[in-house]
Amino acid sequence: MVTMVCWNIAWRKAAWRFLLGCGADIALLQETSLPPDDVAEQIEASEQIEVDPAPFHDADGNRLSRAAIVKLSDRVQVEWLEPVPIAVARRGDFVESQPGSIAAAVISAPGVAPFIAASICAAYDNVHRSVGKSSIVDASVHRVISDLSLLIGHIRRHRIVAAGDLTVWHGYGNNDYWKGRNDTVFDRMEAIGLPLVGPQYPHGRQADPWPTWLPEDSLNVPTYYNIGGSPAMATGQLDYVFASKSMADSVKVRALNGVEEWGPSDHCRIEIVVT
């Protein structure tokens, strides 16, 4: 069995400290920056904790916010996949279309067939100046899906768990147009062989009171609260887990979104157990 936690830690130092004691084997993180000094010292002194080797600063020394994967226990073995920017990627490289949007590694453990774990995170893009000043996120999500698709070389034999903050809504939108655009994300993931596996109710608490904009039959569970809010006020789901059809029945997903278990970020943790 491999236990993973997916978590957008929103650049928070407290989340890094919380993470080291969470009991998981692997952490799939988003909006991650360099660990604080005290955590870095623990990682340096540990023989079992390891952060993927991608940089946390760009060539000019500016801080990067990125997806990351952290090995937290000696129960698993990890083979990192080095992301290569699409502009310089060569044939066979692990392509990264947007800086910091994806991290991946091959995970092995006794009793569990090796699989690829991917931490994914979408970013807001501004529309072209000729058409307005708004921003959208689904364009970034589709770039991430394109990168994931290059990890699939066979129709049925791939074993991938991809999880993260996509910042899109599942099953609805502000109107039919935006619902349709949101749906293309989940439809495309299904089409490449990575259907949604959660978290969905009853594997996590639902919003109470029920939001007026959420369909009455939705199984969504809140994973995010707005600035100035609290876990008790969380209503929207932005974080999702996808898995290859070949292993979907062996992947159990639960939102750790109870008020008392939420943790020090505006996103809750998602528990993923691979058996």
Side-chain angles (χ1 to χ4, degrees):
M1 182 175 72
V2 176
T3 301
M4 301 192 291
V5 60
C6 170
W7 197 13
N8 181 327
I9 65 173
W11 314 289
R12 299 186 185 184
K13 295 179 179 179
W16 269 110
R17 300 182 182 108
F18 188 95
L19 183 69
L20 298 189
C22 74
D25 299 311
I26 296 290
L28 308 178
L29 305 181
Q30 302 86 46
E31 292 191 4
T32 311
S33 57
L34 196 67
D37 290 344
D38 59 313
V39 174
E41 290 175 1
Q42 292 184 62
I43 294 173
E44 183 70 23
S46 173
E47 296 183 357
Q48 65 184 35
I49 303 173
E50 187 177 357
V51 182
D52 72 71
F56 283 98
H57 293 86
D58 63 19
D60 297 322
N62 299 312
R63 185 187 75 170
L64 292 175
S65 170
R66 68 173 179 88
I69 297 180
V70 183
K71 175 181 176 290
L72 294 169
S73 84
D74 56 8
R75 295 184 294 268
V76 295
Q77 295 78 49
V78 176
E79 176 188 347
W80 310 110
L81 301 184
E82 180 185 1
V84 180
I86 190 170
V88 297
R90 301 169 63 183
R91 177 181 246 177
D93 284 341
F94 171 40
V95 175
E96 178 187 53
S97 296
Q98 283 186 303
S101 64
I102 186 169
V106 179
I107 310 299
S108 303
V112 177
F115 64 94
I116 293 175
S119 174
I120 55 179
C121 189
Y124 279 99
D125 291 313
N126 292 328
V127 301
H128 191 268
R129 65 182 65 87
S130 67
V131 297
K133 296 183 179 180
S134 61
S135 58
I136 57 176
V137 72
D138 61 323
S140 175
V141 179
H142 282 289
R143 295 187 191 102
V144 173
I145 297 174
S146 294
D147 296 343
L148 281 171
S149 69
L150 294 180
L151 297 175
I152 298 173
H154 302 276
I155 296 175
R156 298 181 182 86
R157 283 186 283 166
H158 56 86
R159 290 174 55 80
I160 299 172
V161 176
D165 172 17
L166 300 189
T167 319
V168 295
W169 297 329
H170 175 249
Y172 68 100
N174 290 332
N175 51 47
D176 288 344
Y177 173 78
W178 284 108
K179 178 184 182 303
R181 284 184 64 156
N182 290 337
D183 287 348
T184 63
V185 169
F186 301 93
D187 292 345
R188 189 176 172 201
M189 289 292 281
E190 175 94 27
I192 67 172
L194 297 175
L196 177 69
V197 294
Q200 294 277 270
Y201 184 78
H203 305 294
R205 71 174 177 90
Q206 290 195 290
D208 184 19
W210 192 262
T212 57
W213 38 261
L214 189 63
E216 293 183 0
D217 60 350
S218 175
L219 299 179
N220 286 3
V221 293
T223 64
Y224 168 80
Y225 61 82
N226 293 323
I227 295 174
S230 68
M233 300 167 62
T235 56
Q237 180 167 356
L238 301 180
D239 306 84
Y240 307 94
V241 182
F242 305 84
S244 298
K245 293 178 181 178
S246 62
M247 62 183 298
D249 291 341
S250 300
V251 179
K252 308 303 179 186
V253 177
R254 182 169 69 97
L256 303 178
N257 66 350
V259 173
E260 300 301 325
E261 65 181 347
W262 190 279
S265 176
D266 52 0
H267 289 252
C268 75
R269 292 162 294 135
I270 309 297
E271 181 185 68
I272 307 166
V273 178
V274 182
T275 59

